Amino acid sequence: MEGLKLMRIGVMTAMVTSIRAVYKNPVVMMRWAATIAVVILVGMATFFIGLAVTLPLIGHASWHAYRETVGQ
C-alpha cells in the first residue's frame, strides 16, 4: 500500500488500471501468473521455508512489472 499512498491514487483506480493492463496483455499476464504459481509451489515444496525468499522476490518483481506495464 505504500506505493498507492505515494502515488495518491485510490484503490478503485488501481484496480481498474490493473484490469485494463490484463485485457491489453492477456498472454503476458497468463505467463506471469503461471510463473508466480510455479515459484510459490517450489517455495511450498521446501516445507514453506522457501517462501521466505520467493514471496518477497515475487512481490518486488510484480511491482516493477506493474510499473513498467502501466508506464510509471
Side-chain angles (χ1 to χ4, degrees):
M1 293 298 281
E2 189 65 31
L4 291 177
K5 291 179 188 175
L6 292 176
M7 293 169 39
R8 297 194 185 272
I9 61 170
V11 173
M12 291 304 294
T13 303
M15 287 173 42
V16 169
T17 303
S18 294
I19 291 169
R20 286 182 183 160
V22 171
Y23 280 126
K24 287 183 181 180
N25 306 296
V27 175
V28 174
M29 295 297 180
M30 290 302 290
R31 286 183 187 160
W32 184 241
T35 302
I36 289 172
V38 168
V39 170
I40 288 176
L41 286 174
V42 169
M44 291 170 62
T46 58
F47 301 104
F48 297 93
I49 296 171
L51 290 178
V53 174
T54 58
L55 289 180
L57 183 67
I58 290 170
H60 182 75
S62 294
W63 173 247
H64 284 285
Y66 177 81
R67 290 184 60 169
E68 187 173 325
T69 301
V70 174
Q72 296 179 0

